[in-house]
Amino acid sequence: MQAVLPMLLALALLGGGAARADDSKRLRIITWSDYVPAEVIADFKKETGIQAEVTLSNNEEIISKLRATGGAGFDLAQPSQDRIVGAQQEFRIYKPFDLSQVRLDQFMPDLLATVRKNATLDGKLYGLPYVWGAEGLVVNSKRAKLADYGDLCRPEYKGKTSIRLRRPVLMAFAFASGKDPFALYGDIKAYSALMESVGRTLIACKPNFRFFFDNKDQALNGVRSGELVAAMMWDSGGWALNRENPDIRFINPKSGAIAWLDTFALPARGKNDAGAYAWINFTMRPAIAAKIAKSIGNFTASKGADELADPRLKAQFKESFPDGFRNVRWYPAIPAGLEEIEGKILDRIKAAD
Amino acid sequence: MPDATSGPAWERRLLLGLLLAPALLWLFALIVLPQIDLALLSFRERVAPREYVASLAQYRTFFAEPLYWHVFVRTAVMSLAATLATLLIAFPVAWTIAKLLRGRLSALLFVVCLIPFWVSETVRTLGWMILLRESGVLPALLAHLGVTAAPVELLYHDATILVGLVYTSLLFMVVPLVSSLESLDNSLIEAAYDLGGSGWSILREIVIPHAAPGITAGCIVVFMLMLGNYLTPTLLGGKSSQWFTEQIYTQFIVRFNWEQGAAFGFLLLALSTSMVWLGLKLSGQRFGDVMRRT
Amino acid sequence: MSAAGTGQDAATHDLDVRGAVKRFADHVAVDQLSFSVARGSFFSILGPSGCGKTTLLRMIAGFIQPDDGEILIGGRSMAGVGPNRRPVNMVFQQLALFPMMSVGDNVAFGLARRGVARAERLRRAQAMLERVGLGGAARKKVDELSGGQRQRVAIARSLVLEPTLLLLDEPLGALDLKLREHMKIELKQLQAAFGTTFVYITHDQSEALVLSDHVGVMNRGRFEQQGTPQQLYYEPATPFVAGFVGANNRIVGRATGVAGAIVSITSEQGWLIRARSATAIAAGTAVEAFVRPEVAVLARAAADLPAGQPAHGGEVESLLFDGANSAVLLRERQSRVEFRIALPQTGQFADLRVGEPIHFSFDPARAVCFPAGVAHA
Ligand SMILES: Nc1ncnc2c1ncn2[C@@H]1O[C@H](COP(=O)(O)OP(=O)(O)OP(=O)(O)O)[C@@H](O)[C@H]1O
Ligand SMILES: [Mg+2]
């Protein structure tokens, strides 16, 4: 009986995309927008004959869709590194990598190490690094001066800022309040109290937010049209806007940008593992990775791709992070149960008047 | 002789059963089974990874956490208000179509009501957003005409949600109203007028009682559409839309909390069922009569 | 044309229509119509379908405005007065009872609109229902009543308001023959009992004749003649009235001789008859003559015919048995003109056979002729 709902949900979510004849000739990827440029798909097809099919999504939807199907429907997924272990423990939606199939020498060793630390369960590795970046503040410097997350709540910016009402904003405001939420991951009680207080801050700040954005385009449009003077957003988005309008800048807030690392993961019931390994090895070649980096506007985990990166992007990175990575926070894996606490806080912020 | 008659009758019933079987199975698989599945889900609680026990915790959370039932009540009240507004706007429109205009003009007005459905709900709602946002067309026009000093944000208000909901569901109110008003014999109105009735008393005593099944049908359909709407309130309402369907979506997709989502789903089902029941009771209608009108 | 419209004191009239005109596009539905209805009388408007009867009645009730002319009710001009403010009530062609209300509420509807208190209006509705013989029906629904009962409810619903004038638009049209006959008598009795002025529309001449004190015969938006039923029947003023009111034999021909009021006519087929002229007719003009079936006398032998009447001969064409209204259809011997004669009630000619030769005659003074084509455009 419990299988009916997942089946139907899966049907609905996949739009009835029933199995096609030759599974080895296609690779179904669920990922973020801009992560898989059309050019790379074409190159991959030319080389291997495999057609990559892309479904755009985000962390929560990746987990939900795979949960609904028990890990079927896709051959490759790209969740953030901190969201793998918890979901795997709870829903068993991934399968571990067979590292003999992966050219590990193509990856930057420190990012590989981060993933090994955060995405290993029962001694098996469930994620490989793909792209990394940070969330900080995008500011229209002509119209606003912000130094930290808390400045989004300054009275003069009432109705002119925006955030995405998801867990990163809770982390950001926790850091801004002078606490380290990651250090409290193990202490549910203290963590709850911290989240409660962050929730209160954000509820008080709610009049300042014009809207809570759901996708990158909505946020970009808000800043571009001038309706927003500042937003908490991804670095790549800020740099894209900066190319259109030099007044708009991505800044590393005083309490630190929060770095994310998105990965490759194998859905538990994917049908084309060989294709997935081929894709991973293909995209981590420095030349291909450079194309991807250009499409996303972020840096990849490919060793040697940085040298090939767009000089403009490098300049933007330098400007936003003058001190390099000294003031950047990396997500540790989320222990189970924390997201429920955060969920209630987020609901409360949403419902507050 | 009993065999001669009962044989074919029995066969006919079997045949009918066989003919209906696929439809019934389909209904069962698509509607009944998922509902049962959801019901079971809503009555369990996660105690540890992959470990669940039967419990009423999901429902308890709903009542214990004010924000959930606040959103629930708000959704119900706003849907109700929007339904009434739709009725008030649709009635004159339906009256014009059914009684005042003939032939081509009446068809034309009907088509006007259909226009919102020529584009998908997403496009329609995004259209509203483009019109109403601060840098959009309408605020610019208002500022230009001097109604407001500077362009104002018309999005993200409760009134905007109401406007969007009414716009989307007008047709579902107009159709049953037109069909019930068309069946109202004009001579009844004339007779009432002749007997001394005024416009208002004729509306109250003759037109509304006659159109009651149509009104009830329209209100039920529109109310359920509004309760179940997701895009319009979330997009037009913005950061404070607080629609209950959004809560359900969040629980299922963002929080992976299917148990809570299922419980919320059931609460919404209970709400719409009880509102329909109440509506029928208040208007003294029978469900079958009303549904024939839709 | 008639004395009813002029010369009398308007105060004794409940209804005065003066030169009313109603046009629909290029079609004139009511054309310069004038008439008056005396207080307490039963006035019928008789005319064929489409002649403008309903249009006239709806102008009186106030649902449509006349393009020209004036309507007075109880001596008061009705210009600009809405239907809900006129002292007139109407019984609709399809009755238009309110199906969403009980019979009692239907009758009490008008009283409620006048602000009569609930208890009082229920009492009055009940009393009215009793007067029309439906004392036990107040709580029933409209669709639980028979056709005749509904008819009475429709009338009671109007009469309870004690209108100056009650307008009835073919109220018996939807009933079957038997019930219609019965309701005719009831209507007459109701009108007598209430004393309300009735203006009654019908295209059935027998209804008009039986019920009315006065009848206006309407054709193409005008009145051809107004008068008592007897006047219309025995002294039709136009060929249309002669043809429309009661059964009549119509003979078309030319005046060949005029002797005072009696005109000699030769029909197109060459049959020679005599008839009284309704207006002055010169010899040689084309005429139409009308002879009522009951005016002619039958005889097996020419000698048995009344003396002093021109004798005619013919053959039985067919027998039209209809009880008391039985008739024989025959053909004049030479001209083969068809002619209808009522059979006497005595049963004297019950044994007539088709093809049998027969003699007949009629009093020329009781036949009437008109110049052809007048008022017939
Ligand atoms: N609203 C209208 N618009 C146009 N023409 C009309 C309208 N009402 C009536 N007529 C025309 O006026 C003429 C008279 O119509 P009316 O209904 O008065 O006839 P009537 O004598 O009542 O006929 P019946 O005995 O069939 O009821 C008809 O030719 C009809 O077509
Ligand atoms: Mg008529």
Side-chain angles (χ1 to χ4, degrees), chain B residues 184-202 204-211, chain C residues 58 61 63 82-84 86 88-90 92 94-101 106 109-111 113 157-158 161:
Chain B
L184 173 63
D185 188 351
N186 283 338
S187 68
L188 290 188
I189 299 166
E190 286 188 346
Y193 200 25
D194 183 66
L195 292 167
S198 59
W200 167 241
S201 69
I202 292 172
R204 200 186 56 222
E205 304 275 335
I206 311 291
V207 179
I208 291 179
H210 178 90
Chain C
R58 289 169 63 78
F63 292 118
N84 50 347
R86 297 192 179 196
V88 200
N89 288 110
M90 182 150 164
F92 286 71
Q94 302 301 329
L95 302 184
L97 295 179
F98 305 134
M100 61 287 285
M101 298 177 199
N106 261 276
F109 181 87
L111 295 172
R113 302 286 79 77
R157 184 173 75 170
S158 291
L161 297 175

Side-chain angles (χ1 to χ4, degrees), chain C residues 89-171:
Chain C
N89 288 110
M90 182 150 164
V91 176
F92 286 71
Q93 209 158 356
Q94 302 301 329
L95 302 184
L97 295 179
F98 305 134
M100 61 287 285
M101 298 177 199
S102 70
V103 168
D105 286 341
N106 261 276
V107 177
F109 181 87
L111 295 172
R113 302 286 79 77
R114 287 189 182 174
V116 176
R118 188 179 155 74
E120 170 67 5
R121 64 176 190 254
L122 289 184
R123 192 190 62 72
R124 273 156 73 176
Q126 177 60 29
M128 179 53 68
L129 282 171
E130 271 160 22
R131 285 184 75 178
V132 297
L134 287 171
R139 284 165 185 282
K140 284 192 182 167
K141 286 180 122 183
V142 168
D143 55 15
E144 292 166 357
L145 299 183
S146 72
Q149 288 170 328
R150 281 183 215 188
Q151 190 69 60
R152 279 180 276 174
V153 173
I155 292 167
R157 184 173 75 170
S158 291
L159 283 182
V160 78
L161 297 175
E162 296 168 356
T164 309
L165 200 60
L166 185 68
L167 308 174
L168 302 100
D169 188 355
E170 303 201 34

Side-chain angles (χ1 to χ4, degrees), chain C residues 298-318:
Chain C
L298 278 175
R300 284 212 154 90
D304 295 341
L305 291 170
Q309 292 181 8
H312 304 282
E315 279 144 26
V316 174
E317 168 103 352
S318 57

Side-chain angles (χ1 to χ4, degrees), chain C residues 159-328:
Chain C
L159 283 182
V160 78
L161 297 175
E162 296 168 356
T164 309
L165 200 60
L166 185 68
L167 308 174
L168 302 100
D169 188 355
E170 303 201 34
L172 305 186
L175 304 183
D176 64 52
L177 185 70
K178 194 92 185 160
L179 192 54
R180 201 150 69 209
E181 290 302 318
H182 175 72
M183 284 307 296
K184 248 193 253 180
I185 297 163
E186 275 203 9
L187 260 182
K188 179 109 182 156
Q189 288 169 344
L190 272 174
Q191 196 264 338
F194 283 90
T196 308
T197 311
F198 275 37
V199 174
Y200 185 93
I201 279 189
T202 180
H203 62 258
D204 177 340
Q205 46 98 15
S206 102
E207 266 175 37
L209 297 182
V210 169
L211 291 169
S212 321
D213 300 317
H214 274 83
V215 181
V217 179
M218 194 168 177
N219 187 29
R220 295 166 186 262
R222 288 171 162 276
F223 276 177
E224 295 263 342
Q225 184 177 2
Q226 288 183 55
T228 63
Q230 290 81 356
Q231 283 168 336
L232 297 177
Y233 195 83
Y234 294 115
E235 298 157 33
T238 68
F240 177 82
V241 176
F244 195 74
V245 179
N248 240 331
N249 292 296
R250 176 164 171 263
I251 297 142
V252 181
R254 197 162 285 281
T256 44
V258 180
I262 302 297
V263 181
S264 300
I265 298 156
T266 308
S267 82
E268 282 163 351
Q269 299 86 349
W271 185 23
L272 188 76
I273 60 163
R274 285 198 285 164
R276 172 177 64 84
S277 67
T279 54
I281 288 175
T285 45
V287 294
E288 286 175 79
F290 293 90
V291 186
R292 295 226 178 261
E294 70 273 21
V295 165
V297 193
L298 278 175
R300 284 212 154 90
D304 295 341
L305 291 170
Q309 292 181 8
H312 304 282
E315 279 144 26
V316 174
E317 168 103 352
S318 57
L319 290 161
L320 310 168
F321 180 75
D322 184 13
N325 296 321
S326 296
V328 57

